């Protein structure tokens, strides 16, 4: 069941019958010295020592794991207590040193996301850039690793995922009734239709847009598709990989002549992972994510777009200086980022303004309305303008914007919305989500409360995680009382075991809660979408004269009917049900894990065999490692303190002698 899914990261693994899993392989020693060059020199020494101790610790844990496995290998059944130990050891062995930190770069066309990543990694043209049009066509993740070369993996849609998109594209293009001349011209100019035609022509060739779904299934694609659905590129130099990668991630122009083999499979590309070798600029574990546009027409790509945003710890909303104030696309992206804080892992949203040196001085001076202070240079004008914009963005006001074209050229976009149950997402056009728009007034009311419950910064009385921390402390005290009653008062091993296992069990709840909160937060729009699905399906079948007005009428009547039948009340009940499932899941996880832990600590019932493998030597080694770790930490503190002292006493920091 979904409510009993595993903890991620810290918590012990649940009881698992497949306990004979091999631990992951060790990191190559030759890469160690290169990993920490992005950190200050005073920290590099400590980090290297930490990694050596970590490697030795994993080796001791692996030896212990192997001994336990060998002691029960021939048994038909393994007691729960032993399974707990084995799975706990495996979790510790495979636990990464640091969980990845995703930094999402979110911005509209030409805002400078790719340029900013290029600047960070100091490779001017590594990702495609252009000031005139959309460049990056898919999600691109950039990180550093232990590889010796520059490497990129291009992930493609599966066969089933492409068939789903193909079906929707052909439905969008299918006209069952004759249109008059004006409607036909509008249909041909529709943005959604133009994009659908372009994709089919790119993948199957000219004329593909006139074929139906079954004909296209039998058609042979122009490009060669690898059976693994992954294309791997490698190069010795950044520039070499950039040239190879460019046709896969650059948005292809629709007037392009002489397509390459790479561009022919462009519609299949889902996302791209780029790994840099031993970067001094990006610490290992930090992932920069270039997130283009506002989603995708393909369901899997669109879901990945949302999940990528939600897993980012930090989101940078990128906007150039000319579009930072009042642009609708910019406001939509900023709102989407704020929602990520509510439903995902995001803890910080920052506005990054690019091209801030771009200013036409005569024009600025003519329009300037700031006091009477004279401006004597371009630099002064730029600094003044930038400060004004910074102040304005601190008090952002959402503007109500009005689709000026009316219905002309819009009805096929509306049809695309209906085909996707109320959502239309494109790599190039603004995102449309009718379900979200319908539920927005409810979200306006619940967002402060929801944010308070799942707050990760400064806690409030209703914040959940501090209550779990208080429960952990209280539970540890109770365990000590139980220990005293059971004669464990002088057994330091059992006391330490109880304390650390309670911390691990309850510590693992944070990730579990954060993953669940997305489902809870989106339950309102999901509920409304499910209730309105029949009217979306009905509207999607409409074609011919006055199609747009007829589709809108079907949707209006469907919404009115569902509201009368308690659509919003049902959405509220479903959200409450999700909260109850979270509560039950937390309770079940804590009760089950602690019960197993107590059985193990007491060595009663079927918790353990009478004799298990002797791990005394491994225990002594762990004690030595623990002492070494404390020494390294203390030395690191001393080094930092000494460095701060020397900086304060440096002659350059002291006042000049008096005359």
């Amino acid at each position: 069941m979904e409510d009993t899914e595993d903890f991620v990261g810290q918590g012990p693994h649940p009881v698992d019958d497949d306990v004979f899993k091999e631990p992951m392989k060790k990191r190559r020693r030759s890469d160690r010295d290169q990993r920490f060059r992005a950190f200050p020199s005073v920290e590099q020494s400590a980090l290297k020592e930490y990694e050596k101790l970590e490697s030795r610790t994993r080796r001791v844990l692996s030896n212990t794991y192997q001994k336990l496995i060998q002691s029960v290998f021939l048994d038909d059944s393994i007691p729960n207590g032993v399974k707990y130990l084995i799975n706990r050891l495996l979790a510790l062995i495979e636990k990464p040193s640091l969980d990845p930190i995703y930094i999402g770069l979110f911005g509209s066309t030409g805002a400078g996301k790719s340029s900013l990543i290029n600047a960070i990694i100091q490779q001017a043209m590594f990702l495609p850039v252009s000031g005139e049009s959309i460049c990056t066509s898919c999600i691109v993740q950039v990180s550093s690793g232990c590889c010796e070369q520059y490497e990129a993996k291009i992930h493609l849609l599966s066969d089933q995922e492409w068939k789903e998109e193909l079906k929707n594209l052909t439905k969008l293009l299918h006209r069952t009734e004759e249109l008059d001349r004006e409607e036909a011209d509008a249909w041909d100019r529709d943005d959604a239709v133009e994009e659908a035609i372009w994709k089919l022509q790119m993948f199957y060739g000219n004329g593909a847009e006139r074929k139906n779904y079954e004909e296209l299934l039998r058609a042979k694609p122009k490009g060669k598709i690898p059976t693994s659905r992954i294309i791997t590129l490698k190069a010795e130099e950044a520039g070499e990989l950039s040239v190879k990668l460019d046709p896969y991630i650059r948005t292809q122009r629709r007037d392009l002549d002489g397509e390459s083999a790479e561009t022919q499979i462009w519609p299949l590309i889902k996302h791209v992972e780029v790994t840099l070798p031993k970067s001094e600029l990006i610490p290992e574990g930090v992932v920069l994510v270039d997130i283009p546009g506002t989603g995708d027409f393909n369901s899997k790509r669109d879901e990945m777009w949302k999940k990528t945003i939600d897993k980012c710890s930090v989101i940078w909303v990128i906007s150039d200086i000319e579009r930072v104030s009042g642009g609708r696309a910019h406001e939509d992206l900023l709102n989407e980022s704020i929602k990520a804080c509510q439903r995902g892992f995001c803890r910080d949203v920052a506005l990054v303004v690019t091209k801030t040196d771009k200013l036409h001085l005569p024009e600025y001076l003519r329009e300037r309305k700031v006091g009477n202070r004279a401006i004597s240079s371009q630099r002064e004008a730029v600094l003044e303008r930038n400060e004004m914009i910074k102040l304005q963005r601190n008090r952002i006001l959402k503007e109500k914007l009005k689709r000026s074209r009316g219905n002309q050229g819009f009805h096929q976009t509306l049809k695309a919305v209906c085909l996707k149950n109320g959502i239309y997402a494109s790599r190039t056009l603004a995102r449309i989500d009718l379900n979200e728009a319908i539920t927005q007034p409810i979200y306006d009311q619940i967002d402060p409360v929801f944010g308070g419950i799942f707050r990760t910064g400064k806690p409030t009385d209703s914040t959940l995680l501090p209550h779990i921390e208080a429960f952990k402390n209280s539970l540890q005290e109770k365990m000590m009382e139980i220990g005293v009653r059971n004669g464990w008062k002088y057994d330091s091993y059992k006391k330490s075991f109880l304390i650390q296992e309670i911390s691990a069990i309850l510590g693992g709840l944070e990730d579990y809660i954060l993953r669940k909160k997305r489902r809870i937060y989106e339950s309102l729009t999901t509920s409304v979408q499910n209730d309105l699905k029949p009217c979306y399906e009905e509207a999607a079948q409409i074609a011919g004269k006055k199609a747009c007005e007829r589709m809108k009428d079907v949707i209006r009547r469907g919404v009115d009917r569902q509201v009368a039948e308690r659509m919003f009340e049902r959405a509220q009940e479903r959200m409450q049900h999700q909260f109850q499932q979270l509560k039950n899941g937390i309770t079940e996880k804590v009760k089950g894990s602690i019960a197993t832990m107590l059985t193990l600590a007491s060595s009663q019932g079927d918790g353990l065999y009478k004799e298990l493998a002797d791990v005394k030597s491994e225990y002594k080694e762990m004690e030595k490692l623990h002492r070494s770790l404390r020494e390294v930490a203390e030395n690191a503190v001393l080094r930092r303190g000494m460095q701060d002292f020397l900086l304060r006493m440096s002659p350059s920091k002291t006042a000049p002698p008096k005359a």
Side-chain angles (χ1 to χ4, degrees):
M1 293 178 63
E2 305 227 357
D3 300 318
T4 56
E5 62 192 33
D6 303 342
F7 295 163
V8 173
Q10 297 180 27
H13 282 231
V15 173
D16 187 357
D17 290 331
D18 185 17
V19 296
F20 303 110
K21 183 178 176 182
E22 285 295 323
M24 65 182 183
K25 294 181 179 179
K26 297 184 295 183
R27 181 182 301 280
R28 290 182 298 170
R29 184 180 299 273
S30 60
D31 298 318
R32 289 179 181 165
D33 293 338
Q34 307 293 334
R35 298 184 64 204
F36 307 117
R37 292 189 295 175
F39 293 91
S41 58
V42 72
E43 296 180 11
Q44 291 185 24
S45 176
L47 289 169
K48 290 175 183 177
E49 289 299 318
Y50 288 147
E51 188 173 55
K52 290 177 183 177
L53 292 172
E54 179 191 349
S55 178
R56 289 169 57 189
T57 301
R58 290 190 193 277
R59 186 163 60 248
V60 174
L61 291 171
S62 184
N63 291 341
T64 308
Y65 173 87
Q66 295 297 339
K67 282 188 175 181
L68 282 180
I69 287 293
Q70 291 169 10
S71 68
V72 299
F73 185 73
L74 298 177
D75 294 293
D76 294 330
S77 62
I78 303 173
N80 285 345
V82 180
K83 288 181 181 178
Y84 180 94
L85 281 178
I86 291 173
N87 284 316
R88 186 78 175 92
L89 283 167
L90 188 61
L92 289 170
I93 293 167
E94 297 194 336
K95 187 178 186 304
S97 306
L98 293 171
D99 292 325
I101 298 174
Y102 292 91
I103 300 176
L105 280 73
F106 210 22
S108 54
T109 305
K113 302 182 299 296
S114 300
S115 296
L116 182 56
I117 291 180
N118 290 342
I120 291 172
I121 65 175
Q122 295 184 358
Q123 298 289 342
M125 299 296 291
F126 187 75
L127 297 181
V129 295
S130 170
E132 300 176 356
S133 60
I134 299 173
C135 272
T136 310
S137 63
C138 60
I139 293 171
V140 180
Q141 298 185 3
V142 180
S143 61
S144 65
C146 297
C147 54
E148 297 293 332
Q149 296 178 303
Y150 290 84
E151 183 177 297
K153 288 187 177 180
I154 297 112
H155 297 259
L156 307 180
L157 293 174
S158 68
D159 186 56
Q160 190 59 40
E161 289 166 353
W162 172 246
K163 286 180 180 178
E164 180 214 343
E165 177 163 4
L166 186 61
K167 184 177 292 185
N168 286 320
L169 291 173
T170 51
K171 281 182 181 178
L172 188 60
L173 295 176
H174 187 56
R175 288 181 287 181
T176 56
E177 298 178 25
E178 287 297 320
L179 305 177
D180 59 34
R181 182 64 176 267
E182 184 178 350
E183 289 177 319
D185 289 344
W187 185 89
D188 288 336
R189 288 196 304 270
D190 187 88
D191 290 327
V193 169
E194 184 180 341
E195 186 169 354
I197 292 172
W198 176 49
K199 282 184 178 180
L200 294 180
Q201 289 178 343
M202 179 80 71
F203 195 63
Y204 293 109
N206 292 333
E209 72 278 10
R210 294 189 291 273
K211 297 180 180 179
N212 60 33
Y213 175 66
E214 288 74 19
E215 290 173 326
L216 289 174
L217 283 180
R218 296 190 295 270
K220 184 178 179 180
K222 292 165 62 180
K224 185 178 180 181
I225 303 169
T227 54
S228 65
R229 304 304 245 209
I230 296 177
I231 300 170
T232 301
L233 307 175
K234 294 184 179 182
E236 296 292 334
E237 301 293 337
E240 183 185 353
L241 182 67
S242 178
V243 171
K244 293 180 179 179
L245 185 60
D246 189 276
Y248 292 103
I249 62 174
R250 183 185 289 275
T251 298
Q252 302 302 319
R253 290 175 53 190
R254 304 187 186 190
D255 58 352
L256 188 68
D257 294 325
E259 307 168 348
S260 65
E262 294 88 349
T263 61
Q264 291 167 356
I265 63 167
W266 181 83
L268 282 186
I269 296 174
K270 188 190 296 186
H271 72 283
V272 174
E273 295 176 328
V274 178
T275 306
L276 311 178
K278 308 168 189 173
S279 174
E280 297 183 15
L281 305 162
I282 307 178
E284 188 173 347
V286 174
V287 184
L288 301 175
V289 190
D290 188 339
I291 308 174
T294 53
D296 197 277
F297 188 61
N298 178 271
S299 297
K300 293 296 181 183
R301 270 194 297 246
D302 193 57
E303 178 65 15
M304 182 178 181
W305 178 81
K306 293 189 75 172
K307 284 185 175 180
T308 299
I309 295 171
D310 289 346
K311 73 181 180 183
C312 290
S313 304
V314 178
I315 292 178
W316 296 346
V317 182
I318 315 295
S319 180
D320 70 54
I321 195 71
E322 294 180 340
R323 285 185 280 185
V324 72
S325 296
R328 177 174 177 178
H330 170 75
E331 296 296 333
D332 289 344
L333 294 172
L334 189 58
N335 292 336
E336 190 68 39
S337 303
I338 293 170
K339 287 176 188 173
C341 290
Q342 294 282 41
R343 66 176 186 242
F345 287 79
C346 183
R347 302 189 180 194
D348 186 37
V349 175
L351 175 61
V352 180
V353 182
T354 60
K355 308 176 186 175
T356 54
D357 58 345
K358 187 177 181 181
L359 180 140
H360 185 244
L361 186 58
E363 181 180 337
Y364 176 74
L365 293 175
R366 186 176 64 248
E367 297 178 355
R368 183 170 173 256
K369 300 176 182 178
V370 183
N372 297 315
R373 186 174 68 85
I375 293 289
S376 59
S377 68
Q378 176 92 3
R379 182 176 183 275
E380 284 187 24
V382 166
L383 292 174
E384 181 183 84
R385 189 272 316 271
N386 292 351
E387 185 63 26
M388 286 172 50
I389 287 178
K390 187 187 298 184
L391 293 173
Q392 290 171 0
R393 298 311 294 165
N394 284 334
R395 48 182 193 271
I396 295 173
L397 297 176
K398 298 179 182 178
E399 299 178 0
K400 293 181 179 180
L401 300 176
K402 296 179 180 180
R403 288 199 164 273
S404 57
R405 289 186 302 165
N407 292 336
Q408 187 181 40
F410 172 71
H411 67 278
Q412 287 304 112
T413 300
L414 182 58
K415 185 170 185 177
V417 171
C418 295
L419 283 170
K420 304 299 291 185
N421 293 325
I423 300 174
Y424 177 68
S426 164
R427 302 186 190 188
T428 56
L429 307 175
R431 184 180 185 87
I432 301 171
D433 191 333
L434 298 185
N435 311 298
E436 193 174 272
I438 290 169
T439 55
Q440 190 57 50
I442 304 177
Y443 279 114
D444 290 340
Q445 296 297 315
I446 69 169
D447 274 355
V449 179
F450 195 91
I453 293 172
F454 294 101
R455 188 185 301 274
T456 54
K458 185 177 180 181
T460 63
D461 291 340
S462 62
T463 306
L464 180 58
L465 293 178
H467 287 290
I468 292 178
E469 181 67 21
F471 172 69
K472 180 187 78 174
N473 296 332
S474 175
L475 184 60
Q476 288 174 336
E477 292 176 4
K478 292 290 185 184
M479 289 298 104
M480 290 301 96
E481 293 175 9
I482 293 172
V484 170
R485 289 199 299 269
N486 287 273
W488 302 348
K489 184 176 181 180
Y490 302 107
D491 192 336
S492 61
Y493 302 128
K494 285 184 178 178
K495 287 199 296 185
S496 297
F497 173 77
L498 288 171
I499 294 294
Q500 71 182 23
E501 289 305 294
I502 289 172
S503 295
I505 291 167
L506 296 180
L509 285 176
E510 181 174 356
D511 282 335
Y512 173 73
I513 290 167
L514 290 174
R515 286 186 292 119
K516 283 291 185 182
K517 82 168 185 177
R518 180 189 178 197
R519 185 173 299 156
I520 296 172
Y521 189 77
E522 293 183 339
S523 62
L524 289 178
T525 51
T526 302
S527 177
V528 167
Q529 184 182 48
N530 289 336
D531 287 345
L532 294 179
K533 188 174 181 180
C535 79
Y536 289 141
E537 291 175 343
E538 181 184 350
Q541 301 302 316
I542 294 174
K545 295 182 179 180
K546 306 293 182 182
C548 185
E549 291 299 331
R550 288 157 57 201
M551 282 190 283
K552 289 196 289 187
D553 185 58
V554 166
I555 294 172
R556 284 195 201 99
R557 286 188 285 105
V559 171
D560 291 341
R561 183 172 60 252
Q562 288 299 326
V563 170
E565 295 176 0
R566 302 181 69 254
M567 176 175 72
F568 293 125
E569 289 81 359
R570 282 194 301 275
Q572 178 183 348
E573 291 166 2
R574 286 164 180 165
M575 177 174 271
Q576 290 173 339
H577 178 66
Q578 291 283 352
F579 269 112
Q580 187 62 45
Q581 284 188 319
L582 174 63
K583 178 181 175 182
N584 295 341
I586 291 173
T587 304
E588 290 173 11
K589 286 176 179 297
V590 172
K591 285 173 63 177
S593 298
I594 289 180
T596 303
M597 180 197 67
L598 287 174
T599 302
L600 185 60
S602 62
S603 300
Q604 295 173 354
D606 70 342
L608 288 172
Y609 289 111
K610 291 181 180 178
E611 292 185 8
L612 282 177
D614 185 353
V615 293
K616 289 179 182 176
S617 61
E618 284 79 8
Y619 180 78
K620 290 180 180 178
E621 180 66 18
M622 289 294 285
E623 283 188 320
K624 289 197 310 187
L625 289 168
H626 182 248
R627 287 194 297 270
S628 299
L629 181 62
R630 292 182 63 178
E631 290 175 5
V632 172
E634 290 168 0
N635 290 337
V637 172
L638 289 173
R639 277 196 296 269
R640 280 196 294 271
M642 181 60 72
Q643 184 184 54
D644 292 341
F645 173 76
L646 292 174
L647 285 173
R648 288 196 302 271
M649 300 303 294
S650 172
S652 62
K653 300 293 183 182
T654 59
K658 294 183 179 179

